Amino acid sequence: MDRAARWWIAAGGAAVVAVAGLAVALLAPDEPAGSPAPTGTRAAAPGPTSAAPRRAPASTPAPTAAGSLFYVDPDTAAAVWVAANPGDPRAAVIRDRIARVPQGRWFTRDNTDSVRSEVDDYVGAAADAGRTPILVVYNIPNRDCSGASAGGMPSHAAYRAWIDQVSAGLAGRPATVVLEPDVLPQMSNCLDAAQQGQVQQSMAYAVRKLKAASPRAKVYLDAGHSNWLPPAEIARRLVGAGVKSGADGIATNVSNYRSTRDEVAYAKRVLATIGVAALRAVVDTSRNGNGPLGDEWCDPKGRAIGTPTTTATGDAKIAAFLWVKLPGESDGCIGGAGRFVPERAYELATAKR
């Protein structure tokens, strides 16, 4: 499954090229991918596109983060591109409908010596603003089963040492943490039983450390999405990974396009199977405004941004709709995986729904 690397301060080593119409978040050669694309058959990446700019239809409503409890990261690729291209006809739309919506910041690198300060800076900035940051922790060994985002820490001992530092960076402050997207659903594709057990043990360790470092943090273990594993199977894996031992619940649809309705129903079935009344779910709504295009996972056409990040879900079992994947980052077909493509962001923001 392809993963999309993203711009985030915690990564380090990235270069940014501000060229209108092209992918702009360029990774250093040894930088791992971070923000995931949906599961599915991998396609070759032909490179970025550069369609002519268009202006937004006046009838397309813009989402808003007004009143949101969540922090707007000022350093997303969308925000960086907007700042560098104020005269581009697409800039206002991308700014208002994407960059100003709270989104996840991904922590994916082997940077045990620096990740504590990076988390501290990010969580501290959110605390100063009176908002809750969204963090995505994605660095477990053997992640992505040798796919485009292959990597992670070199051992589970190293991973746990890294988690110790991530946790310390929270320093008792509020945060919403999505833990290891796609790892539990995907692990049986490439790991034997013993290795799967190690993954679950390390995730359970991460839950304990994150919650001990900040009881105010909400930790959600990733559960894939409604078109992947049956609820009973993912529930079994989640229990093995510590969802009953202090976690706040599960996350679904990370980097996918499944409809909110389907994901809410799926999440509630998984939660019911786990059987812990206090657990809740969060759903990634960043790109699901038009639902999926069949089973196409790689930059499908005609998709749209979904409900902006909010806790107003209308369902007591769903804690939040979150933008976990960053809209505008390629899945790997219209540009290199994880590269910000302004035209893709613009299309998602203006698509008819």
Side-chain angles (χ1 to χ4, degrees):
M1 169 181 37
D2 239 332
R3 290 278 184 187
R6 51 148 293 158
W7 168 274
W8 77 115
I9 289 177
V16 177
V17 181
V19 181
L22 296 179
V24 298
L26 304 181
L27 302 178
D30 61 346
E31 184 169 7
S35 172
T39 182
T41 303
R42 186 171 296 107
T49 59
S50 54
R54 302 188 307 274
R55 295 194 178 277
S59 60
T60 305
T64 176
S68 174
L69 300 175
F70 295 98
Y71 180 60
V72 176
D73 185 349
D75 295 303
T76 62
V80 170
W81 181 85
V82 166
N85 296 274
D88 189 289
R90 300 163 295 185
V93 169
I94 293 173
R95 178 194 66 209
D96 295 343
R97 301 180 187 177
I98 292 180
R100 288 180 174 173
V101 177
Q103 300 167 49
R105 181 178 287 195
W106 291 69
F107 294 87
T108 71
R109 290 174 62 84
D110 183 351
N111 58 344
T112 304
D113 292 340
S114 61
V115 71
R116 177 175 180 171
S117 64
E118 292 162 357
V119 172
D120 178 60
D121 288 346
Y122 180 54
V123 175
D128 290 345
R131 296 291 185 266
T132 299
I134 304 166
L135 289 74
V136 187
V137 174
Y138 178 55
N139 205 20
I140 207 156
N142 298 315
R143 70 179 184 207
D144 205 24
C145 288
S146 299
S149 292
M153 297 300 288
S155 69
H156 285 276
Y159 176 74
R160 294 183 185 198
W162 182 81
I163 284 290
D164 290 346
Q165 297 305 308
V166 172
S167 301
L170 296 177
R173 294 167 295 196
T176 291
V177 182
V178 175
L179 185 61
E180 299 297 343
D182 292 356
V183 166
L184 289 175
Q186 190 186 34
M187 66 182 183
S188 55
N189 293 355
C190 63
L191 304 179
D192 62 28
Q195 291 171 321
Q196 292 177 46
Q198 288 180 316
V199 165
Q200 291 175 301
Q201 291 163 20
S202 285
M203 288 184 66
Y205 179 88
V207 171
R208 293 193 300 270
K209 293 296 292 189
L210 290 163
K211 293 295 290 186
S214 179
R216 301 168 72 189
K218 301 292 186 181
V219 179
Y220 299 94
L221 280 69
D222 187 78
H225 57 74
S226 58
N227 198 42
W228 204 341
L229 295 180
E233 175 58 23
I234 190 59
R236 182 186 68 79
R237 299 185 189 194
L238 288 159
V239 170
V243 74
K244 288 185 174 182
S245 303
D248 295 276
I250 64 174
T252 76
N253 204 44
V254 172
S255 296
N256 216 294
Y257 299 87
R258 300 288 149 185
S259 72
T260 299
R261 180 183 63 186
D262 287 349
E263 290 307 300
V264 167
Y266 177 72
K268 291 169 75 171
R269 289 196 296 271
V270 174
L271 292 173
T273 304
I274 294 170
V276 177
L279 296 180
R280 298 293 183 267
V282 296
V283 176
D284 186 352
T285 55
S286 59
R287 306 186 299 178
N288 75 344
N290 284 336
L293 183 64
D295 290 329
E296 178 56 63
W297 63 269
C298 192
D299 298 314
K301 296 179 179 180
R303 301 313 91 201
I305 53 175
T307 303
T309 295
T310 182
T311 56
T313 67
D315 193 309
K317 298 299 290 184
I318 309 301
F321 299 138
L322 303 177
W323 282 18
V324 184
K325 170 72 173 182
L326 283 74
E329 290 188 354
S330 171
D331 295 329
C333 289
I334 60 171
R339 273 53 173 182
F340 179 74
V341 182
E343 187 64 13
R344 176 64 172 177
Y346 185 84
E347 289 169 353
L348 287 167
T350 60
K352 184 177 180 179
R353 298 172 57 183

